[in-house]
Amino acid sequence: MSEALDRARAAHEAAAALGRTTDSQRTAAVVAAADAIQAATPAILEANARDVERGRAAGLPEPLIDRLLLTEERLRDIAASMREVAALPDPLGRVVEGRTLASGVRMERLTVPLGVVAMIYEARPNVTADAIALTLRSGNAVVLRGGTAAHDSCVAIADAAREGVAKAGLDPETIQLITSEDRAETVELMHATGLVDVLIPRGGASLIQTCVRESKVPVIETGVGNCHVYLERTADVAMARDIVINAKTQRPGVCNAAESLLVDACAADELLPDVLVALHEAGVELVGDEACRAVAQRAGVPMGEATAEDWGTEYLDLKMSVHAVDDVDEAIAHINRYGTGHSECIVTSDLAASERFLAGVNAAAVYANASTRFTDGGVFGLGCEIGISTQKLHVRGPMGIDALTSTKYVLRGDGQVR
Amino acid sequence: MSEALDRARAAHEAAAALGRTTDSQRTAAVVAAADAIQAATPAILEANARDVERGRAAGLPEPLIDRLLLTEERLRDIAASMREVAALPDPLGRVVEGRTLASGVRMERLTVPLGVVAMIYEARPNVTADAIALTLRSGNAVVLRGGTAAHDSCVAIADAAREGVAKAGLDPETIQLITSEDRAETVELMHATGLVDVLIPRGGASLIQTCVRESKVPVIETGVGNCHVYLERTADVAMARDIVINAKTQRPGVCNAAESLLVDACAADELLPDVLVALHEAGVELVGDEACRAVAQRAGVPMGEATAEDWGTEYLDLKMSVHAVDDVDEAIAHINRYGTGHSECIVTSDLAASERFLAGVNAAAVYANASTRFTDGGVFGLGCEIGISTQKLHVRGPMGIDALTSTKYVLRGDGQVR
């Protein structure tokens, strides 16, 4: 028997009772978990210090250490964000439709929890707290599998949250964290059909592709964002520059950052130079096709040669590929081929081109004249997000607590038969 | 290169243009496909005769032959049902939410097609026509993999439909049918990630479990229905009898038929005898636990011994298992353990028991005092169904054309950045 299956079974058993709790019980439990995490600050920081020390000894790059690092302030923010989730309106028991059937049977369709949500994620301790708040608020039990590098921090956070939940009178078994570092446990979790209702992986492309390939429980694909900004021939040069710089450089390590710049070949000489200079000044490494390299050279901006692989690469870094296209249709085709269905943007002043792009691009979020960086649960008004879905089933785009619900038909009759 | 991958790729390529068609183009194409199928009646019946002959020679049981058999009248019904799908309101381009973000960016979330829907199904030629109508109406390309026993019929129907679609001016490549009978093609189809957006298996438990286990593309689990009718101690005897007889015998081979009868042990002597006599008279074979066998014996009704396996079996036949429980909580626990999350029913006159059951049972449709047979796309007002989802992700219960859509965020700005 594996730990993953034991924990999935424990979550499955706890889920039924959690589904019968009231909104105020769940709200109180989320607040109690946040309080308990904040109260456990010394223990959590101590655990985190062990993780950070191990990470430094193992030569973890500094940005990853920073992602792993907790401080008193960061823990305060984590708890505050949990309390925001507690304050969201109840996602359960909402009647989304209803009617009386021809036979007189009264039918209604209600929102209900999914049941057991499993999350596999990388070394971000805050995801542990976010996932606990979001699943608890939506009446779901959770099985967490955090990155090994954050092991001690995740255990300390989950322990505190469980304590808080118990204090609020709910079953702490609704929160399960896999503590074994054996990789086989991850596979067991992906195979726990009948116990786990959905698996949400959060991390890099390789983690997500492994889950899609290996998992037998339903997976929601999240977060990989090979996002494009396309400068159509009628784009305003200043707007093009502002949007590209924002989409590429404001936070290059996140999934809604742009990775690739497309430009109409016939307008490259007017549109590109300003943008390339600004990117170069912001420290962005550029690679491009022949036409764009020629423009870059004339503008005095260094640009390497892009390989076919570059068009499909999410750099998550200060690097961008640049490609010239004939027109909006070629831009759409290029994006639909190489994009990951996350966030895509056209800069244009032509109405027809804008509408063609918005309709033709196959992605969770398609923008005309605004930065791809807006794709975010908070910005979209969901309060907080558990990930950004890049698939089309169940939910697409930022996933809030509503994405952690299903529906159920409830029918009341007085003896009707067919 | 496999045929399945070729066909998935062709569907994927055709899907983009299909997504740009108008409502009236898609409506006209569905009507044209229905007309073409009806016009091809002689060729389809000839192909069907070959399938039926092969089936008889292979010793296919008569109910399966009947499921396979097409007649002029059945083809007329199939075409009529396609025309009903054409008449449904457009599921695409509906704005399901919208707001202006704090930055002034105007956001709306629209319904869009899933893209490519794959269906693997058994030897029911009508599913070919239904699937074509439903996917076309919702702007999706389709890859069909029908049961070998219906091979020629499915080819003839799909050929006619493709002809009709072409005549209506749409690309017939949006309809793809795998003609090779090699089983490896099914596996290829299940592995066609990036080309197929969703796989919907329709058939028996083993087909569906194979898809859930093997598929790397997202699957919607459908149709397996181990449905229960639970007679709570306060049930009205006549109502109990009517509902059980209807749920079990009106159409025993379908997924919303009841397979198992639960009864409060303390009321078994009052509630069971009438029901068991009626079931026996209707030709239903009964198996039960010790307590229920004792009641059956006193009522003079034969009842075999149920094994643990019976509680989890979908007979799809005139057979029913009978089990005594202590109370509503034990009934809920039994159903949540052995049920398949399809349709479940309580017969009761006690309000608290009814509400407890409706809230506690984990299934797509939960009934108080009405037959499980009502779970159906037509009855629920969806017009027509492509299957009944027994999973919680994306859609739960009967799936109509809306279940074949996703959404997309469209955002319009004038230069906003974050």
Side-chain angles (χ1 to χ4, degrees):
Chain A
M1 181 51 70
S2 75
E3 187 196 352
L5 282 184
D6 282 345
R7 298 219 173 262
R9 188 162 296 114
H12 180 73
E13 279 164 16
L18 184 63
R20 284 192 297 268
T21 54
T22 62
D23 181 34
S24 44
Q25 285 177 302
R26 289 187 298 274
T27 305
V30 175
V31 171
D35 291 348
I37 284 172
Q38 220 177 331
T41 299
I44 295 172
L45 292 185
E46 211 173 280
N48 183 250
R50 290 195 297 275
D51 286 335
V52 168
E53 195 181 329
R54 260 206 318 272
R56 286 229 161 86
L60 215 61
E62 211 40 47
L64 294 190
I65 292 283
D66 181 64
R67 215 167 71 172
L68 174 59
L69 185 74
L70 291 174
T71 62
E72 206 180 316
E73 195 196 338
R74 286 186 179 182
L75 268 179
R76 201 166 40 232
D77 289 349
I78 285 171
S81 147
M82 294 179 75
R83 288 186 199 103
E84 275 170 36
V85 173
L88 291 173
D90 189 13
L92 301 181
R94 219 158 17 93
V95 178
V96 292
E97 60 173 319
R99 69 170 67 88
T100 300
L101 305 183
S103 55
V105 173
R106 288 166 295 132
M107 174 184 104
E108 53 185 29
R109 192 156 66 94
L110 301 168
T111 55
V112 295
L114 286 173
V116 175
V117 175
M119 287 203 66
I120 301 180
Y121 51 103
E122 291 176 346
R124 297 180 183 236
N126 64 307
V127 174
T128 305
D130 286 356
I132 287 171
L134 290 163
T135 52
L136 197 53
R137 185 74 192 92
S138 52
N140 292 287
V142 69
V143 184
L144 299 162
R145 167 63 161 182
T148 327
H151 179 274
D152 289 10
S153 315
C154 291
V155 169
I157 290 172
D159 279 352
R162 285 167 58 103
E163 214 174 281
V165 166
K167 225 182 261 172
L170 295 196
D171 184 359
E173 297 297 309
T174 57
I175 301 168
Q176 299 285 333
L177 177 88
I178 297 172
T179 56
S180 155
E181 302 190 15
D182 189 345
R183 273 176 165 265
E185 298 292 348
T186 311
V187 178
E188 290 289 336
L189 186 59
M190 292 193 270
H191 291 187
T193 46
L195 297 175
V196 170
D197 293 284
V198 63
L199 167 62
I200 305 175
R202 255 184 93 166
S206 113
L207 167 67
I208 287 159
Q209 282 315 307
T210 303
C211 289
V212 169
R213 245 190 353 260
E214 291 286 330
S215 184
K216 299 191 192 314
V217 305
V219 170
I220 297 181
E221 253 187 278
T222 64
V224 178
N226 182 24
C227 307
H228 299 72
V229 178
Y230 163 53
L231 310 182
E232 197 266 345
R233 64 198 66 184
T234 64
D236 176 83
V237 179
M239 189 193 289
R241 188 194 53 221
D242 290 351
I243 287 178
V244 173
I245 288 294
N246 181 261
K248 179 67 254 180
T249 70
Q250 195 227 356
R251 226 180 137 193
V254 296
C255 59
N256 60 19
E259 306 291 359
S260 199
L261 176 62
L262 303 181
V263 62
D264 272 345
C266 64
D269 271 320
E270 297 90 79
L271 292 174
L272 273 192
D274 265 21
V275 176
L276 296 182
V277 167
L279 285 168
H280 180 59
E281 281 171 0
V284 177
E285 178 193 344
L286 298 166
V287 294
D289 60 21
E290 213 183 312
C292 296
R293 284 205 311 284
V295 179
Q297 199 176 12
R298 285 193 287 278
V301 172
M303 182 182 291
E305 198 169 326
T307 65
E309 209 189 322
D310 280 301
W311 311 138
T313 299
E314 185 188 21
Y315 302 116
L316 293 172
D317 207 344
L318 287 176
K319 183 172 178 183
M320 190 169 218
S321 65
V322 191
H323 180 50
V325 294
D326 279 347
D327 54 21
V328 64
D329 285 335
E330 197 187 325
I332 294 169
H334 180 93
I335 289 170
N336 287 346
R337 175 164 178 199
Y338 293 104
T340 52
H342 196 297
S343 301
E344 305 293 351
C345 165
I346 184 175
V347 185
T348 183
S349 55
D350 183 79
L351 182 59
S354 167
E355 292 305 307
R356 199 162 176 84
F357 186 89
L358 293 171
V361 168
N362 189 355
V366 191
Y367 294 83
N369 299 330
S371 171
T372 56
R373 289 277 296 116
F374 286 108
T375 305
D376 173 271
V379 173
F380 279 15
L382 308 180
C384 182
E385 74 188 22
I386 200 158
I388 293 178
S389 164
T390 53
Q391 68 173 38
K392 293 191 208 155
L393 276 198
H394 188 65
V395 58
R396 200 177 194 198
M399 296 186 281
I401 48 175
D402 288 332
L404 299 178
T405 66
S406 179
T407 62
K408 168 172 154 177
Y409 286 100
V410 167
L411 300 106
R412 295 174 169 93
D414 46 19
Q416 285 87 346
V417 297
R418 246 182 117 177
Chain B
M1 183 50 69
S2 75
E3 187 194 352
L5 283 184
D6 282 345
R7 298 218 173 263
R9 189 162 294 114
H12 181 74
E13 279 164 15
L18 185 62
R20 284 192 297 267
T21 54
T22 62
D23 181 34
S24 45
Q25 285 177 302
R26 288 187 298 274
T27 305
V30 175
V31 171
D35 291 347
I37 285 172
Q38 221 178 331
T41 298
I44 295 172
L45 292 185
E46 210 173 281
N48 184 250
R50 289 196 299 274
D51 285 335
V52 168
E53 195 181 328
R54 258 205 320 271
R56 286 228 162 87
L60 214 61
E62 212 40 48
L64 293 191
I65 291 285
D66 182 64
R67 217 167 68 173
L68 175 58
L69 185 74
L70 291 174
T71 62
E72 207 179 316
E73 195 195 336
R74 285 186 181 183
L75 269 179
R76 201 164 40 231
D77 289 348
I78 284 171
S81 147
M82 293 178 77
R83 288 186 199 104
E84 275 171 35
V85 173
L88 291 174
D90 189 13
L92 303 181
R94 219 158 18 91
V95 178
V96 292
E97 60 173 317
R99 70 170 67 88
T100 300
L101 304 183
S103 54
V105 173
R106 287 166 296 131
M107 174 183 102
E108 54 187 27
R109 191 156 66 93
L110 300 169
T111 56
V112 295
L114 287 173
V116 176
V117 176
M119 286 202 66
I120 300 180
Y121 52 104
E122 291 175 347
R124 298 182 182 232
N126 64 305
V127 174
T128 305
D130 286 356
I132 287 171
L134 291 163
T135 51
L136 198 52
R137 185 75 190 91
S138 52
N140 292 287
V142 69
V143 184
L144 299 161
R145 168 61 161 183
T148 327
H151 179 273
D152 288 11
S153 316
C154 292
V155 169
I157 291 172
D159 279 352
R162 284 167 59 103
E163 216 173 279
V165 166
K167 225 182 258 172
L170 294 197
D171 184 359
E173 298 297 308
T174 57
I175 302 169
Q176 299 285 333
L177 178 87
I178 297 172
T179 56
S180 155
E181 300 189 15
D182 189 343
R183 273 174 166 268
E185 298 292 348
T186 311
V187 178
E188 291 290 337
L189 187 58
M190 292 192 273
H191 290 187
T193 46
L195 297 176
V196 171
D197 292 285
V198 62
L199 167 63
I200 305 176
R202 254 184 94 165
S206 113
L207 167 66
I208 288 159
Q209 282 315 308
T210 303
C211 289
V212 168
R213 247 191 349 262
E214 291 287 330
S215 185
K216 299 192 193 311
V217 305
V219 171
I220 297 181
E221 252 187 280
T222 65
V224 178
N226 182 24
C227 306
H228 299 73
V229 178
Y230 163 54
L231 310 183
E232 196 266 345
R233 62 198 67 184
T234 63
D236 175 82
V237 178
M239 189 194 289
R241 189 193 53 222
D242 291 350
I243 287 177
V244 173
I245 288 294
N246 180 261
K248 179 68 253 180
T249 70
Q250 195 227 356
R251 227 179 137 194
V254 295
C255 59
N256 60 19
E259 306 291 359
S260 199
L261 177 62
L262 303 181
V263 62
D264 271 345
C266 64
D269 272 318
E270 297 91 79
L271 292 174
L272 271 192
D274 267 22
V275 176
L276 296 182
V277 167
L279 284 168
H280 180 59
E281 281 171 359
V284 176
E285 179 193 344
L286 298 166
V287 294
D289 61 18
E290 214 183 312
C292 296
R293 284 205 310 283
V295 179
Q297 201 178 10
R298 286 192 286 279
V301 172
M303 182 181 290
E305 199 169 324
T307 64
E309 209 188 321
D310 280 300
W311 310 137
T313 300
E314 184 189 22
Y315 301 116
L316 292 173
D317 207 344
L318 287 175
K319 185 172 178 183
M320 190 167 219
S321 65
V322 191
H323 180 49
V325 294
D326 281 345
D327 55 20
V328 63
D329 284 337
E330 199 187 324
I332 294 169
H334 181 93
I335 289 169
N336 287 346
R337 175 164 177 198
Y338 292 105
T340 51
H342 195 296
S343 300
E344 307 292 351
C345 166
I346 183 174
V347 185
T348 184
S349 54
D350 183 78
L351 182 59
S354 167
E355 293 305 307
R356 199 161 175 85
F357 186 89
L358 293 172
V361 168
N362 189 355
V366 191
Y367 294 84
N369 299 329
S371 171
T372 55
R373 290 277 295 116
F374 285 107
T375 307
D376 173 271
V379 173
F380 279 14
L382 308 181
C384 182
E385 73 188 22
I386 200 157
I388 293 179
S389 163
T390 54
Q391 68 173 36
K392 293 190 208 152
L393 276 199
H394 188 64
V395 57
R396 200 177 193 198
M399 295 186 282
I401 47 175
D402 288 331
L404 299 178
T405 66
S406 179
T407 61
K408 166 171 154 177
Y409 287 98
V410 168
L411 300 107
R412 294 175 170 91
D414 46 17
Q416 284 86 347
V417 297
R418 245 181 119 179

